[in-house]
Amino acid sequence: MSSFTNEDDFTELVRRHLGAVYHAALRRTGGRADLAEEVSQTVFTTLACKAPGLLHHPTLAGWLYLTTRHVAENTLRAEQRRRARELEAHRMSDIAPAEAEPEWQRIREELDGVMDELSERDREAILLRFFHGHAFEQIGAVCGLSEDAARKRVDRALEKLRERLRKKGVTSTAIALGTLLAGQSALAAPAGLAQTIAGTALAAQAAGAGAATAGIIQFMGVKTTFGIAAAGLAGLLFIPAAGIFVYERHEAQEANAAVVAAQRDYDAAEARLKQLQENVRAADQRAAELQAETERARVAAAAKPAPSQPASASPRNSALEAGLADGQKFMAAYPQARGMVLELGRAQVNRSFAAFYLYHPLTAAQREEIENQTALLWLNSIVATPRGINPSVTQLPDDQLQQILGKEGYQAYLDYDRVKPAYDIAVRLATVTGLTGSPLQPQQTEQVIAAIKQGSDAYRNGGALTNDSIDWGATSTQVKTVLTPAQWRAAEAVLLDLQFKQAVNQARGTTAPTASKAKS
């Protein structure tokens, strides 16, 4: 941090921002250099006098822009009362030759009007980027954004500015407009004007606030990269005698706080990740121990003399009994798995009985009983094998189902189970057609199920319907007649997939050929 005299430090602040203020005033006063200087003087005098109340303003650039607008408007009204003459003759009197291009002239005439229409956030993004020449990293630090987010904010603000200019009859691409505006940050105010304005402003400030506020001003250069902010970026302009801390220091402190908070969140997330990794390692170790324990039990059991077994005992039954025993050991070692198995059992019931519930509504008590009994069946029939943990029985015995559903309900279930693949396929078609915005209607669903039944020789001969027993050529042709073109485009992929799987099974010799090949 460097210490300067009052005038030296304030002059440095004026020099940094005078170009943007002066040329904004120049545009708003129709190119009148004398009025632009007068407006600039008033703006910085106001800054010197009102600095204590400006601490919480979002950015210095935004405050200077708005103040320039108000002062310019007041100055023009006063000038028009004194002199009734056209201002157009003076518009370009002191503007640099680069601004004399026709496209810039058109933009210049409308620029400040459309800038006034932007939101404060968008306007400050334009000012910081194009009129003050800040890099995106600096803008992000001032606004509490990442560099990429700052870039996007500037791009959106530039597009809004371009659209408003288009409505005024000024057409330009966003790139061309950005190129023209970028030159504004390089525009300089007349030589010596900063020194004059600073001296006058400080004199006015001292006269208005008294000698006590005319003490030493300490000034620090703006360095708004995240790296410097994290290293302890300090403030830029303050007057100790008045207790004033203005703009850049406030913004830098906010950026620094944001970096510290982000680092704190990162450290917390990293700690949680390490804890999760430890949990995973502990679970893997426990699983390995359980597997080793199971293997030792099997080796010990193999070393014992085999007990005499009835002649009817088979290796398959012995393997199942061993798997059931291992399953019980697993459940005992992992009590938390019990709840998971119960939930899986209930989910399996909902999946298997979804269509049955739809076409044969049950009472809530019946559905709950089926789900609970099936989940318990899963839990008590868990088999542990090297390939995984699975139940050996997944569906309730017929007598239990009949007891829960009653005689008529059980008969309805048998009818449903006989054609269950047709309902499953109808559900798949309803799902894919629903995604197109043209879901199957109830009548269409019934017609699809009827077509699938009709396409199965096994079903027509009194047997159970299976996917491999369906003639998908004839079935697809029939289904196509009951669907709309949009529905058919979605459903065709499902039917082709079923046809392909049937062909693969036939090639493997796992199913008999159907009556004909598919014709869709």
Side-chain angles (χ1 to χ4, degrees), residues 417-432:
D417 190 54
R418 180 172 168 241
V419 293
K420 184 176 180 298
Y423 288 102
D424 291 341
I425 295 167
V427 169
R428 287 183 63 185
L429 295 182
T431 301
V432 296

Side-chain angles (χ1 to χ4, degrees), residues 45 120 125 141 158 206 243 276 296 386 412 441 482:
T45 299
E120 184 177 6
L158 182 63
L276 290 173
R296 286 194 296 271
Q441 300 302 311
V482 302

Side-chain angles (χ1 to χ4, degrees), residues 41-355:
Q41 179 67 73
T42 303
V43 168
F44 285 102
T45 299
T46 303
L47 173 64
C49 295
K50 292 188 175 182
L54 303 180
L55 174 61
H56 298 294
H57 199 278
T59 64
L60 180 58
W63 183 89
L64 289 173
Y65 178 86
L66 292 175
T67 304
T68 301
R69 183 181 76 185
H70 296 317
V71 174
E73 291 172 352
N74 293 335
T75 302
L76 279 178
R77 282 196 292 269
E79 178 69 11
Q80 288 169 353
R81 286 193 296 268
R82 294 194 307 268
R83 304 174 60 185
R85 63 193 180 111
E86 291 291 330
L87 298 179
E88 291 296 331
H90 301 280
R91 283 186 180 275
M92 301 297 294
S93 59
D94 284 341
I95 297 181
E99 288 189 336
E101 299 175 2
E103 185 175 4
W104 173 245
Q105 291 182 18
R106 294 195 302 273
I107 293 174
R108 174 183 172 278
E109 294 171 358
E110 303 291 348
L111 178 60
D112 290 289
V114 295
M115 283 279 288
D116 293 345
E117 296 175 6
L118 296 177
S119 66
E120 184 177 6
R121 187 176 75 169
D122 291 336
R123 183 167 56 247
E124 288 175 349
I126 295 292
L127 290 171
L128 291 172
R129 176 59 179 167
F130 299 108
F131 290 82
H132 292 262
H134 286 356
F136 291 114
E137 186 177 19
Q138 293 174 303
I139 297 172
V142 170
C143 299
L145 303 171
S146 66
E147 181 177 354
D148 187 54
R151 185 188 307 275
K152 292 179 180 178
R153 177 176 292 187
V154 171
D155 289 344
R156 288 194 295 267
L158 182 63
E159 179 59 27
K160 293 177 183 178
L161 183 66
R162 186 192 69 79
E163 180 61 22
R164 283 170 169 77
L165 284 171
R166 184 189 65 77
K167 293 179 180 178
K168 300 287 187 179
V170 181
T171 58
S172 175
T173 64
I175 295 177
L177 178 59
T179 302
L180 289 170
L181 292 179
Q184 297 305 294
S185 64
L187 296 178
L193 183 58
Q195 189 75 30
T196 301
I197 286 178
T200 304
L202 284 174
Q205 187 269 345
T213 60
I216 297 175
I217 298 177
Q218 295 179 320
F219 182 85
M220 175 179 262
V222 180
K223 295 181 179 180
T224 52
T225 65
F226 276 116
I228 296 177
L233 182 63
L236 300 180
L237 174 65
F238 64 94
I239 307 175
I244 304 169
F245 294 80
V246 181
Y247 303 114
E248 283 94 339
R249 176 173 189 144
H250 179 65
E251 293 165 358
Q253 288 173 338
E254 289 186 344
N256 188 34
V259 171
V260 172
Q263 183 64 44
R264 185 168 58 250
D265 292 343
Y266 174 81
D267 292 341
E270 187 175 31
R272 288 195 298 272
L273 177 60
K274 289 181 179 179
Q275 184 60 51
L276 290 173
Q277 291 173 338
E278 288 296 329
N279 293 344
V280 171
R281 281 193 289 270
D284 289 343
Q285 182 178 357
R286 179 60 183 142
E289 292 172 354
L290 178 62
Q291 185 175 1
E293 181 181 342
T294 302
E295 185 62 26
R296 286 194 296 271
R298 287 180 177 172
V299 171
K304 294 179 180 180
S308 59
Q309 296 183 351
S312 59
S314 66
R316 178 178 178 85
N317 290 336
S318 298
L320 178 60
E321 290 176 0
L324 287 169
D326 290 342
Q328 294 305 312
K329 289 182 180 180
F330 175 85
M331 299 302 291
Y334 291 95
Q336 64 272 29
R338 177 183 178 87
M340 296 175 61
V341 171
L342 290 174
E343 288 302 317
L344 284 173
R346 293 188 180 95
Q348 177 64 26
V349 171
N350 282 323
R351 181 178 180 277
S352 299
F353 283 70

Side-chain angles (χ1 to χ4, degrees), residues 372-393:
N372 290 339
Q373 291 298 330
T374 302
L376 289 174
L377 180 68
W378 276 43
L379 190 65
N380 295 326
S381 64
I382 286 294
V383 174
T385 68
R387 291 181 296 178
I389 306 296
N390 296 289
S392 58
V393 182

